[in-house]
Amino acid sequence: QERMVESGGGVVRPGRSLRLSCAASGFTFSRYGLHWVRQTPGKRLEWVAVIWSNGINKYYGDSVKGRFTISRDNSRNTFYLQMNSLRAEDTAIYYCTRALSSYHDCWGQGTLVTVSS
Amino acid sequence: QSALTQPASVSGSPGQAITIPCVGTNSDIGGYNFVSWYQQHPGKAPKLIIYEVTNRPSGVPDRFSGSKSGNTASLTVSGLQAEDEADYYCSSFTGGNIELFGTGTKVTVL
């Protein structure tokens, strides 16, 4: 059964860092592009970042560019989102997803990140 | 980067058809056939229901259909059922490998 499970969320102060992980199982991990998508308290979905299957191409949304870094470890079927210089507006549920093409066909259950002093 | 525009809410009676528009620009929806739609029930993760404008993943009922005209994509739910009450989001890939989501539409079954 295809499954993706996020971890690493929590409460963090503005300016601090947090690393999210996403462990995948039930499919050939190395074939897929991997994404982070977040959902704000207002329920808006916002695409955050993608890392292609080659592990080299990485792209970021404007609001996180320069602060967040996506990476993957195919040997562990896991990928990550390193979040630095966190801001209150980064508060959201963070979902990890996979995409073979342009669409997200498998989502994790989400992990909540709260940035607050 | 701006979000794609959707109406905040749409409602319909059981058995009726509803259509949710998703308005973008010629840099996203109008420029690519990479529009997808997601359904989200309360407390759950989004679920893919339409990809590449018109395609349905296996297991998604055929009462869900997608289309596109110019810079506007649309999701139609024919024969509305109680379990279709949920939030719906469109998305489109753009040039530069960036993705945009829509603002979301709450569907209420009367």
Side-chain angles (χ1 to χ4, degrees):
Chain A
Q1 185 178 357
E2 300 164 339
R3 196 165 178 232
M4 303 181 80
V5 179
E6 303 91 343
S7 60
V11 180
V12 61
R13 297 199 185 279
R16 303 299 292 268
S17 299
L18 204 60
R19 188 176 86 153
L20 305 183
S21 301
C22 177
S25 58
F27 60 93
T28 305
F29 183 80
S30 60
R31 292 183 60 207
Y32 286 84
L34 304 167
H35 297 248
W36 290 97
V37 175
R38 65 188 183 185
Q39 188 162 36
T40 68
K43 295 172 61 178
R44 290 280 184 101
L45 286 178
E46 180 184 9
W47 176 80
V48 174
V50 60
I51 182 168
W52 286 12
S53 57
N54 63 15
I56 297 171
N57 294 84
K58 306 174 186 181
Y59 301 95
Y60 301 89
D62 282 350
S63 61
V64 307
K65 202 175 297 183
R67 300 187 298 123
F68 290 11
T69 302
I70 192 170
S71 60
R72 65 190 294 163
D73 184 343
N74 287 350
S75 68
R76 296 177 182 270
N77 284 3
T78 301
F79 72 112
Y80 307 94
L81 185 69
Q82 177 66 43
M83 305 185 294
N84 298 333
S85 303
L86 282 161
R87 306 167 180 166
E89 54 264 36
D90 296 318
T91 294
I93 297 172
Y94 285 73
Y95 293 101
C96 62
T97 83
R98 74 171 194 192
L100 199 56
S101 178
S102 64
Y103 47 91
H104 310 269
D105 67 347
C106 185
W107 296 62
Q109 84 288 350
T111 187
L112 177 62
V113 172
T114 302
V115 183
S116 174
S117 54
Chain B
Q1 298 165 343
S2 298
L4 307 173
T5 302
Q6 299 178 234
S9 62
V10 171
S11 61
S13 299
Q16 284 188 329
I18 61 167
T19 295
I20 302 170
C22 170
V23 180
T25 69
N26 54 17
S27 296
D28 39 71
I29 291 177
Y32 307 90
N33 286 324
F34 291 143
V35 177
S36 50
W37 289 89
Y38 301 88
Q39 177 192 60
Q40 186 179 33
H41 287 107
K44 301 292 188 181
K47 172 191 170 186
L48 177 70
I49 57 172
I50 295 288
Y51 66 96
E52 291 172 355
V53 181
T54 61
N55 298 301
R56 259 187 331 273
S58 61
V60 174
D62 61 6
R63 64 179 182 274
F64 292 94
S65 62
S67 63
K68 189 183 88 165
S69 177
N71 297 337
T72 299
S74 297
L75 173 72
T76 296
V77 187
S78 306
L80 198 62
Q81 297 187 9
E83 60 261 35
D84 300 332
E85 187 161 292
D87 294 326
Y88 292 81
Y89 296 88
C90 60
S91 104
S92 175
F93 269 86
T94 73
N97 292 286
I98 301 299
E99 181 177 2
L100 290 178
F101 279 94
T103 50
T105 299
K106 180 177 178 58
V107 168
T108 300
V109 181
L110 301 172

